[in-house]
Amino acid sequence: MNRRVSTLIALAILPAALVACDEEETVPDAPPAGEAALQREADALLDLGAPGVLATVVTPDEEITVRSGYGDVAEETPMPWDAAFRAGSFTKPFVATVLLQLVGEGALDLEDSVEDWLPGLVEGEGIDGSAITVRQLLQHTSGLPEYLLGLPEMFTEEGFGPAQDAEYTPEELIALAVAQPPAFAPGEGWQYSNTNYVLAGMIIEQVTGNGWHQEVRERIVEPLGLSGTSVPTGGEKGLPEPHARGYARFVVDMTDETPVFGDPLDVTELNPDVPWAAGAIVTTTEDATTFLRALLGGELLGEAQLALMKETVPAPELEASWPAAEYGLGLMRLPLECGDVWAHQGDIQGFMTRDGVTEDGTRSVAVSVNTNVLLPEGDTPMPEGDATRALIESALCS
């Protein structure tokens, strides 16, 4: 059963004179409690500055999708029910899954070094690819710096327009990273870095002889029937229909160390060369929930490889949003009031993805917001932690 509820409902009210006095009044059925709660949480995100919200929850008994707000603010049209969106870093569990499948096939080992597969690529002052393992890439314990810091134009109003069309090879992205000092010696800390997953994508290509895009499609997207999921390659800047418009706000002033944001800008188009294997996948909330349930349900990885994926380390950078969160190999472990769940958030210009799945893979949620910057208006306070936490807990713990 798939119930869909929109907050953009036009109510037609008949004049009382046209209603017979003895006619029994009919009242629309109220939505089930779980659906109503999910709708309230989706609506609440509008108060925090979300243009629009789409959320899907799948349980053993039903599938529920709700939407709120606008998919296109200028046209004042609702979020499309099956909206495609940029998944951002939700791409990472797809990439990690492919690499772990290759481990299970004996094609490589998690203790292989980056130098083993990409000789001479990862070199810089204090950086040695022979000391960094595949496991450390997937777990963000490599110490490699963030390549996006070498692309400051991606984060300014003036620079983003030209940056939407920018073309890069993965080798050029890695060069931007190794020009910076490492955060720490390999295995001596934890720091989220998209550089790790660009290298992971390159290793997939070295091992298989195919593009990482092809491997994700053939190993995950097609077997699971993820009809709304695509892996765009260079030059595919747009999104498949139907989709929402994506909006971003950029910092225009840091007076008194308090960021001042400009007006929302439409940033729907983006060359996937920049996020590449760290964040280029496009998907839907329905497909995201299907992928997560298949992954935790053991459909994509053998028991040993799934256990490796769930070997976590503390992830201090996630603490502010998700207290006590830890990071595995392309998966985040999030402690909720009802127990631990698995997830991977995604943020990319114009879109925010939040999700989660229970340990047994039977219950999952995916949320798409068509902005990556929430900015409440008026006196509405931002909640502590991630803005979607209440929705995620309502979906997975109710």
Side-chain angles (χ1 to χ4, degrees), residues 261-287:
F261 291 89
D263 294 331
L265 298 179
D266 189 323
V267 295
T268 306
E269 293 194 347
L270 178 67
N271 190 331
D273 279 357
V274 174
W276 211 63
I281 281 179
V282 172
T283 191
T284 65
T285 55
E286 183 176 1
D287 278 6

Side-chain angles (χ1 to χ4, degrees), residues 24-296:
E24 184 177 349
E25 183 179 356
T26 59
V27 179
D29 292 338
E35 181 180 299
L38 189 66
Q39 185 68 60
R40 285 194 300 271
E41 298 298 347
D43 294 343
L45 291 174
L46 301 188
D47 295 333
L48 300 180
V53 181
L54 187 67
T56 295
V57 176
V58 180
T59 76
D61 300 318
E62 62 185 350
E63 176 180 326
I64 302 172
T65 295
V66 300
R67 64 180 178 178
S68 191
Y70 296 124
D72 187 321
V73 173
E75 298 295 327
E76 296 189 348
T77 54
M79 288 286 284
W81 284 116
D82 302 312
F85 56 86
R86 298 194 189 283
S89 287
F90 186 59
T91 299
K92 291 179 173 67
F94 286 80
V95 171
T97 297
V98 171
L99 267 175
L100 284 166
Q101 287 180 346
L102 292 170
V103 169
E105 295 163 12
L108 81 160
D109 191 280
L110 287 177
E111 303 313 316
D112 289 350
S113 74
V114 173
E115 182 70 12
D116 290 335
W117 290 103
L118 305 170
L121 180 67
V122 181
E123 296 178 346
E125 187 171 350
I127 297 175
D128 179 4
S130 66
I132 299 170
T133 66
V134 174
R135 183 194 301 272
Q136 289 166 347
L137 294 180
L138 297 183
Q139 201 164 52
H140 294 298
T141 55
S142 71
L144 286 169
E146 174 60 68
Y147 75 88
L148 288 173
L149 294 178
L151 298 172
E153 62 273 17
M154 291 290 297
F155 306 98
T156 68
E157 284 190 2
E158 300 78 14
F160 187 79
Q164 287 176 293
D165 299 321
E167 297 181 1
Y168 292 93
T169 65
E171 290 81 5
E172 289 173 328
L173 300 179
I174 298 305
L176 292 171
V178 299
Q180 308 168 53
F184 47 81
E188 297 299 316
W190 190 90
Q191 180 172 287
Y192 194 91
S193 175
N194 289 289
T195 305
N196 292 314
Y197 276 76
V198 172
L199 290 168
M202 296 177 77
I203 290 172
I204 289 172
E205 297 190 342
Q206 284 294 107
V207 174
T208 66
N210 300 317
W212 75 272
H213 316 79
Q214 180 180 338
E215 292 295 321
V216 167
R217 282 193 294 266
E218 293 181 357
R219 291 171 175 269
I220 300 174
V221 175
E222 292 171 1
L224 294 182
L226 305 182
S227 59
T229 300
S230 58
V231 193
T233 55
E236 298 179 42
K237 298 187 301 178
L239 291 172
E241 297 290 350
H243 66 81
R245 307 302 298 179
Y247 302 94
R249 292 177 183 266
F250 296 92
V251 175
V252 295
D253 188 12
M254 281 292 291
T255 304
D256 298 327
E257 298 184 356
T258 300
V260 177
F261 291 89
D263 294 331
L265 298 179
D266 189 323
V267 295
T268 306
E269 293 194 347
L270 178 67
N271 190 331
D273 279 357
V274 174
W276 211 63
I281 281 179
V282 172
T283 191
T284 65
T285 55
E286 183 176 1
D287 278 6
T289 59
T290 298
F291 167 65
L292 287 172
R293 284 181 291 114
L295 179 58
L296 270 294

Side-chain angles (χ1 to χ4, degrees), residues 339-396:
D340 291 349
V341 299
W342 297 93
H344 203 296
Q345 61 192 33
D347 292 285
I348 193 168
Q349 280 88 344
F351 295 94
M352 175 189 299
T353 304
R354 297 294 184 268
D355 51 76
V357 60
T358 53
E359 177 74 36
D360 61 3
T362 62
R363 191 179 185 106
S364 61
V365 58
V367 186
S368 176
V369 179
N370 57 336
T371 184
N372 60 307
V373 178
L374 293 177
L375 192 63
E377 295 185 1
D379 297 328
T380 302
M382 281 294 290
E384 292 186 9
D386 193 276
T388 67
R389 180 173 183 126
L391 190 155
I392 299 296
E393 286 201 319
S394 177
L396 298 181

